[in-house]
């Protein structure tokens, strides 16, 4: 039997879509909370909404946990003492507890048509009265057949006028009972509602701390009433601040920052994402910003969780990614880039070269990455910048326009540069600097013009890395070929 005083948190998503960053942050806080107290982190799948079920969502969740390293101690497929961890596999349990409440008069079967309730609601609105559904207000005789008849909680049996609970970061919360309807516990399809199954499972799974998104505050009074009626001990509650998108709107499963796997394919590191999400609404209480997951566990203190909304900010995520990329050794960095580069180039080209599977390709990638290792923020965008190191770009008039170079002047300078460079067999960086600088001096041309002409011929694009590094990486033969190509245009 497990120790009741132990901290146990749970992440209880519904598989109604893929997890977005806001939910992933909830999972992370549940994990950090539990691990910082040597407790357990439980993953439970709240799959009771058959209509909104998205197949593949559970597998995506598993991928997210694996990739970010926030491994649940218990959960679907993982197992554990309190399973099963999919609510759809626990239906009998909910039925049992619902029947207990019915037997005590605290719940009742109600086959009242939703349309009748909606009509009453509308009427109340027209009469400017408030309306809260209570079964007693409707005269109704239930037939003998209880199959497919929903079970509702009976509010009139609750003693008192208000329900009160304490949120760990928001303090005491009170709600008037007159605002709560006779809510459904078991639906007509025999499945429990979120409210009911959530309470039963948090109790049976011995959850000590319910940590979840702010949007569930509205459901908490109902949960409190269920805890009371079922005679269950009440866990601690902590509602995390909402995460808003850069547009200040709620992050949704569809919004830009939603897809973690997309971030993965752009070369964001799991550590950077974890670090960024942890600081989205939590303050470590020091000036330290860069943390590994284990450092976060050590530093985590729920008292420093903020209550006001947190705003997702891509630039800040990029900053964390840069910091974490810098901490990687060359081999690790190569491993980050390999799949991205493979993805980037078309599969045919890749296959014909057996691309990146041989030591020469790896050595070349290492040489590229060595040049600007500390400046890389977003690996995918970086590949855009260094594309020309893998493939010779097409050279045409548009390149000259982009560089604002006059065709005739450009051709003269490239021709003369070619002559200088061709005469030189040594292709080492220092030597190339001397050669080009010597050429600039003797020709009387401006440094900028010469550099731009070289860059246009070799890369066809503005920016990227230093021109001498580019020449060295391309090598003598390829650099000269590109200069010649620029003349042929
Ligand atoms: N199933 C709810 C969700 O989709 C769980 C909320 C809770 O943690 O209580 O997030």
């Amino acid at each position: 039997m497990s120790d009741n005083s132990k901290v146990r948190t749970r992440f209880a998503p519904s598989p109604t879509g893929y997890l977005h960053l806001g939910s992933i942050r909830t999972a992370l806080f549940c994990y950090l909370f539990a691990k910082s107290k040597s407790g357990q982190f439980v993953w439970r799948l709240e799959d009771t909404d058959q209509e909104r079920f998205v197949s593949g969502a559970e597998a995506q969740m598993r991928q997210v946990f694996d990739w970010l390293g926030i491994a649940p101690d218990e959960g679907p497929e993982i197992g554990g003492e309190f399973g099963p961890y999919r609510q759809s596999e626990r239906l009998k349990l909910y039925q049992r507890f619902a029947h207990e409440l019915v037997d005590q008069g605290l719940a009742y079967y109600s086959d009242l048509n939703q349309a009748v309730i909606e009509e009453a609601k509308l009427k109340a609105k027209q009469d400017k009265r408030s309306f809260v559904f209570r079964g007693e207000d409707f005269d109704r005789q239930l037939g003998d057949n209880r199959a497919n008849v929903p079970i509702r909680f009976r509010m009139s049996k609750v003693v008192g006028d208000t329900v009160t609970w304490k949120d760990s970061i928001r303090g005491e919360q009170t709600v008037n009972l007159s605002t709560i309807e006779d809510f459904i516990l078991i639906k007509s399809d025999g499945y429990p509602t979120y409210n009911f199954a959530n309470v039963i499972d948090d109790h049976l799974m011995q959850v000590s701390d319910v940590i979840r998104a702010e949007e569930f505050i509205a459901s908490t009074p109902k949960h409190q009433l269920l805890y009371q009626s079922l005679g269950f001990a009440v866990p601690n509650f902590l509602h995390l601040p909402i995460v808003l998108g850069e547009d200040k709107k709620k992050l949704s499963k569809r919004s830009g920052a939603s897809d973690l796997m997309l971030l993965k394919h752009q070369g964001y590191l799991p550590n950077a994402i974890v670090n960024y999400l942890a600081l989205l609404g939590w303050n470590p209480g020091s000036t330290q910003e860069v943390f590994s997951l284990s450092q976060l566990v050590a530093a985590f203190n729920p008292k420093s969780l903020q209550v006001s909304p947190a705003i997702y900010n891509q630039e800040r995520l990029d900053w964390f990614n840069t910091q974490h990329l810098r901490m990687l050794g060359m081999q690790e960095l190569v491993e980050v880039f390999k799949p991205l580069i493979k993805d980037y180039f078309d599969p045919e080209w890749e296959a014909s070269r057996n691309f990146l599977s041989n030591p020469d390709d790896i050595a070349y990638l290492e040489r590229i990455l060595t040049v600007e290792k500390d400046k890389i923020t977003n690996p995918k965008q970086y590949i855009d910048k260094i594309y020309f190191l893998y493939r010779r770009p097409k050279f045409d008039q548009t390149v000259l326009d982009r560089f604002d170079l006059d065709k005739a002047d450009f051709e003269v300078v490239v021709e003369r540069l070619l002559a200088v460079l061709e005469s030189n067999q040594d292709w080492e960086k220092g030597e190339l600097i001397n050669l080009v600088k010597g050429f600039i001096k003797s020709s009387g041309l401006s440094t900028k013009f010469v550099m731009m002409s070289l860059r246009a011929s070799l890369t066809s694009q503005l920016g990227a890395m230093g021109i001498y590094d580019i020449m060295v990486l391309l090598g003598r033969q390829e650099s000269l070929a590109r200069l010649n190509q620029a003349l042929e245009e």
Side-chain angles (χ1 to χ4, degrees), residues 112 116-117 120-121 131-140:
L112 199 66
V116 177
I117 302 177
K121 222 182 249 179
F131 175 83
V132 176
F133 173 74
R134 295 291 169 84
E136 285 88 358
D137 298 339
F138 293 78
D139 193 15
R140 183 128 195 103

Side-chain angles (χ1 to χ4, degrees), residues 10 12-14 46 194 198 212 216:
R10 88 305 190 261
S14 304
E46 301 210 323
Y194 153 68
N198 188 272
R212 61 187 172 202
F216 294 102

